[in-house]
Amino acid sequence: MGLSILPKFDEDEFENLLQKRRDVLSNSSYCTMQFLTKELCERIKKLKVYETCRTERINILRLNRMINLVNSGVDPFENSFGFVRKAYRSKVDSTLQPYVVYLPENYDKSKKYPLMVYLHGSASDESNIHGVLGIIPKDFIAVGPFGRGKSNAYSRDNAQDDIAEVINAVSEDYNIDTARILLTGFSMGGYGVYRTFFETPNKYKALAVFSGGPNIGSRYAPAELAPDFTDEKNLSPFKSVPIFIFHGEKDLNVTLQATLDFASKMKKTGATIELQTEPDKGHEFPGISSIEKYMKWVEKVMK
């Protein structure tokens, strides 16, 4: 058996230190450190006597390093690049909610950047965006909301509020071109793309759905909250937005036929649909050829 002796960590003392140096931190950095502290303390309370606490020990050391930076007058999240896990305090219920933002290494504060919003699939969370670097277009900032749950089809639990608040939080921290927001998602997150655009069609310039089903929302949420987008009465908001759709022909999780029916109905309305299928792909992301087509499509529609 392994043995861990956790470094000293006092939640109240940590919060007091944050309050004293609040002037050093941006609003998002302050909320993020509060969230990480709360999350860590909750995990420590749930520890079993046989657990060796490796993750908890690493996170205590990380937070202690952060507070040392704050005490020296440095915001620990300033000038971060790559994937950064952050949090905001919701205006809906004052809870702290997590998200992950991706910043390109050449990020320049004086330049406006298009934003890619990525909605995770079921049984996943905001950290799922780490695995989709290949679909983040060059010179884009990207963000992965948690959506207030791992399996809610972005149709309940204030999930839509979360997506909107995450976009606002990222726009406050970084120079986002809000006229160029690309909404993407995988599997349940693909349905979430349809659901989110249906809710707020004027916010997004283009949509990209990977292995998502237009009719799977009721698996995760009451049918009255999760519209079926193979039903023509729900399609009118999509007529003027470019949509890239990928679906593997061997997908056993989400039916290809529902996607084909959706694309066919949308094309009849005059909508712009870029549909890519691959015969050897299942419930997964596309191969290199389809990714290249997706990137060219992004370049064209996001100009």
Side-chain angles (χ1 to χ4, degrees):
M1 294 289 289
L3 174 68
S4 283
I5 300 175
L6 292 177
K8 180 184 176 183
F9 186 82
D10 184 280
E11 183 176 6
D12 291 335
E13 181 181 341
F14 197 86
E15 176 65 29
N16 288 335
L17 289 170
L18 284 180
Q19 290 284 0
K20 287 179 182 178
R21 298 310 310 270
R22 182 71 180 83
D23 59 309
V24 172
L25 297 165
S26 68
N27 184 57
S28 68
S29 296
Y30 179 63
C31 290
T32 299
M33 293 185 73
Q34 283 187 311
F35 173 81
L36 294 175
T37 302
K38 180 179 174 63
E39 182 181 57
L40 173 61
C41 290
E42 288 177 352
R43 291 188 62 163
I44 290 174
K45 289 175 184 176
K46 293 177 182 178
L47 285 171
K48 304 293 189 292
V49 294
Y50 52 80
E51 293 184 272
T52 54
C53 319
R54 178 179 181 273
T55 299
E56 290 72 24
R57 185 172 67 252
I58 290 171
N59 286 339
I60 288 174
L61 294 172
R62 179 187 176 210
L63 279 168
N64 282 331
R65 284 195 297 269
M66 285 184 181
I67 203 65
N68 288 336
L69 286 171
V70 173
N71 282 333
S72 64
V74 176
D75 185 327
F77 293 94
E78 192 174 1
N79 299 320
S80 296
F81 299 101
F83 292 103
V84 184
R85 189 165 181 248
K86 304 184 83 172
Y88 70 93
R89 188 170 292 281
S90 174
K91 294 179 181 177
V92 174
D93 54 13
S94 296
T95 57
L96 291 163
Q97 296 294 329
Y99 62 94
V100 173
V101 63
Y102 169 82
L103 292 173
E105 290 186 7
N106 61 347
Y107 175 70
D108 180 350
K109 294 179 181 179
S110 65
K111 173 185 171 184
K112 276 189 177 292
Y113 286 78
L115 177 67
M116 186 189 98
V117 178
Y118 172 75
L119 305 183
H120 63 77
S122 65
S124 299
D125 58 27
E126 72 282 358
S127 64
N128 188 239
I129 194 175
H130 287 265
V132 300
L133 182 60
I135 67 165
I136 300 176
K138 183 180 178 183
D139 293 330
F140 269 60
I141 291 174
V143 67
F146 176 45
R148 297 284 189 122
K150 293 186 176 183
S151 300
N152 59 17
Y154 302 92
S155 299
R156 55 182 172 84
D157 310 322
N158 296 115
Q160 287 296 313
D161 292 310
D162 181 71
I163 295 169
E165 289 194 291
V166 164
I167 292 173
N168 288 339
V170 173
S171 298
E172 287 176 5
D173 281 351
Y174 308 107
N175 199 356
I176 301 295
D177 183 351
T178 55
R180 292 193 296 159
I181 301 180
L182 170 66
L183 181 62
T184 70
F186 173 76
S187 188
M188 182 196 77
Y191 174 84
V193 168
Y194 298 128
R195 181 68 184 84
T196 302
F197 185 79
F198 184 77
E199 189 84 13
T200 51
N202 296 324
K203 185 175 287 187
Y204 304 99
K205 185 163 186 179
L207 313 177
V209 173
F210 300 92
S211 300
N215 59 346
I216 64 172
S218 58
R219 294 184 191 177
Y220 311 97
E224 63 270 18
L225 298 179
D228 179 353
F229 295 109
T230 60
D231 188 335
E232 292 185 12
K233 71 179 183 182
N234 295 321
L235 298 183
S236 57
F238 299 91
K239 292 179 182 178
S240 60
V241 64
I243 309 175
F244 181 95
I245 301 174
F246 167 80
H247 213 114
E249 294 178 20
K250 291 184 178 180
D251 194 331
L252 300 180
N253 293 57
V254 179
T255 64
L256 170 65
Q257 192 58 51
T259 288
L260 296 177
D261 290 345
F262 171 81
S264 176
K265 290 174 183 176
M266 287 304 302
K267 285 180 179 178
K268 288 178 182 178
T269 70
T272 305
I273 303 287
E274 179 80 21
L275 176 63
Q276 294 292 325
T277 64
E278 292 186 39
D280 297 325
K281 288 288 186 179
H283 193 61
E284 55 190 310
F285 279 95
I288 294 174
S289 176
S290 293
I291 289 287
E292 289 176 350
K293 291 176 182 177
Y294 158 74
M295 290 299 182
K296 289 180 181 177
W297 172 85
V298 170
E299 184 178 1
K300 178 177 69 175
V301 301
M302 296 298 287
K303 283 183 179 178

